[in-house]
Amino acid sequence: MEKKERVKKNEPGTSEKVNAAIINVSTVFFRDIVMIDKDSGLISVLNMQTEDVGNVLEKYNGKLLSVTRTGISAMFQESCDDALKCAITICQEAGLEERKALFQGLSIGIDYGMICVGTVGYKGLEMPLVMSETMDTATFLSQTAQKYNSRILVTSDVASRLAGFQTKYNSRRLGKIFHTGPGTSEDIYDVYDGDLADTKYSKMRSRLFFETGVDLFLKGSYLEARSYFIELLKYDRNDAAAKQYVFKCDSCIAGTAEEVDKKYLELR
């Protein structure tokens, strides 16, 4: 009976909705479409990346969902904690000498929400299909992470489901993201436990200054917020998020900023 039910579930046109943490793992090999024409061995490289990521997924009870041009997507039904630990481990192992070339430009996005898993088919050909706003957000974050010199970005939906998030992990509140589709917003966090050592310690030292600047920006105190980010950049010129906030503060002070730019770091 169980076998028959399982077969029925996998028939084309059937689907199942589940709540889960979703991670999207991306590298330069996914983002640079030009490489498809230049490097005939690209698929082999992506396969090696998928194998390495898959090995870590198994350790943390993750399930591979898809491999597309946007990266490697996986789900964690049991625990957001497992999802974040998995992401950190992937970053740490990518720092090993033998994996540095394979995981160039590594970035990971994590979100939590509902996903729809189903099967579609035609004339005997059956294909798995996964659709979700959550997957789209995780993908967006993995692509956005590079912009802020980050390796792991997570939403507040994920952070709120992690007991002791602020003390258990090294992170900073990066700012707010606005989801234009549903018209909702939430905080996003830069979890720098997955960063290279120099970057991690730099963010640890400047976290309080940075988050104070973010709070002031969100309150509309742009001049004061700008002074915090400028001071931060004096001892960390590579803080891309601080630079972005300086530009935003400048446009807000000058009166040229759009309303959404006065509140949100990113629009999706």
Side-chain angles (χ1 to χ4, degrees):
M1 184 67 177
E2 288 183 4
K3 186 176 180 181
K4 286 183 179 178
E5 287 179 355
R6 240 184 348 255
V7 171
K8 188 176 180 181
K9 274 189 176 182
N10 291 330
E11 286 179 355
T14 59
S15 64
E16 179 184 5
K17 292 181 179 179
V18 298
N19 287 310
I22 304 295
I23 75 170
N24 181 272
V25 182
S26 181
T27 65
V28 67
F29 298 101
F30 285 101
R31 292 188 289 269
D32 193 351
I33 192 65
V34 176
M35 296 182 72
I36 292 178
D37 297 324
K38 290 184 176 181
D39 187 359
S40 59
L42 179 62
I43 300 301
S44 177
V45 170
L46 298 184
N47 187 67
M48 286 189 287
Q49 287 184 354
T50 303
E51 287 180 350
D52 278 2
V53 170
N55 288 332
V56 182
L57 286 175
E58 286 185 356
K59 295 178 185 177
Y60 294 98
N61 305 307
K63 181 180 179 182
L64 186 67
L65 289 175
S66 65
V67 182
T68 66
R69 237 208 93 196
T70 60
I72 302 168
S73 291
M75 65 182 281
F76 296 78
Q77 276 185 268
E78 302 300 324
S79 166
C80 283
D81 200 53
D82 282 346
L84 185 49
K85 286 179 179 177
C86 177
I88 292 171
T89 301
I90 290 171
C91 290
Q92 290 173 341
E93 293 189 356
L96 299 175
E97 197 61 42
E98 64 271 22
R99 284 189 172 88
K100 284 183 180 179
L102 185 62
F103 283 91
Q104 295 175 49
L106 174 65
S107 57
I108 301 174
I110 311 178
D111 191 22
Y112 180 90
M114 183 177 290
I115 65 171
C116 181
V117 184
T119 305
V120 295
Y122 177 70
K123 290 187 176 180
L125 176 63
E126 296 182 7
M127 296 166 286
L129 177 65
V130 185
M131 299 179 68
S132 169
E133 182 80 8
T134 304
M135 281 186 70
D136 293 343
T137 300
T139 298
F140 177 81
L141 291 180
S142 71
Q143 295 169 339
T144 303
Q146 286 287 303
K147 178 178 176 181
Y148 297 111
N149 194 25
S150 303
R151 276 192 162 184
I152 302 174
L153 295 185
V154 308
T155 62
S156 53
D157 267 350
V158 173
S160 66
R161 288 173 169 79
L162 292 167
F165 173 69
Q166 298 289 350
T167 56
K168 193 173 181 180
Y169 298 100
N170 288 296
S171 69
R172 63 180 185 173
R173 182 191 186 199
L174 201 61
K176 282 190 171 293
I177 181 174
F178 182 72
H179 304 284
T180 54
T184 59
S185 65
E186 63 180 326
D187 289 326
I188 52 176
Y189 294 87
D190 174 2
V191 180
Y192 43 86
D193 284 317
D195 287 1
L196 298 176
D198 288 347
T199 305
K200 176 181 176 179
Y201 293 128
S202 180
K203 289 179 181 179
M204 286 177 70
R205 289 192 297 269
S206 63
R207 182 183 68 82
L208 184 59
F209 240 69
F210 181 86
E211 290 187 339
T212 300
V214 172
D215 288 339
L216 289 166
F217 176 84
L218 292 173
K219 290 176 183 176
S221 303
Y222 306 120
L223 190 60
E224 193 176 357
R226 185 182 188 278
S227 68
Y228 272 84
F229 294 121
I230 288 293
E231 194 64 28
L232 189 159
L233 288 169
K234 287 180 181 179
Y235 56 86
D236 185 2
R237 295 178 299 172
N238 296 318
D239 195 315
K243 290 179 182 178
Q244 180 69 6
Y245 272 114
V246 170
F247 294 143
K248 279 183 170 290
C249 288
D250 285 343
S251 61
C252 288
I253 293 168
T256 58
E258 300 287 339
E259 282 304 309
V260 290
D261 292 325
K262 295 178 181 179
K263 300 177 182 178
Y264 306 110
L265 181 63
E266 287 291 334
L267 304 180
R268 189 185 75 75

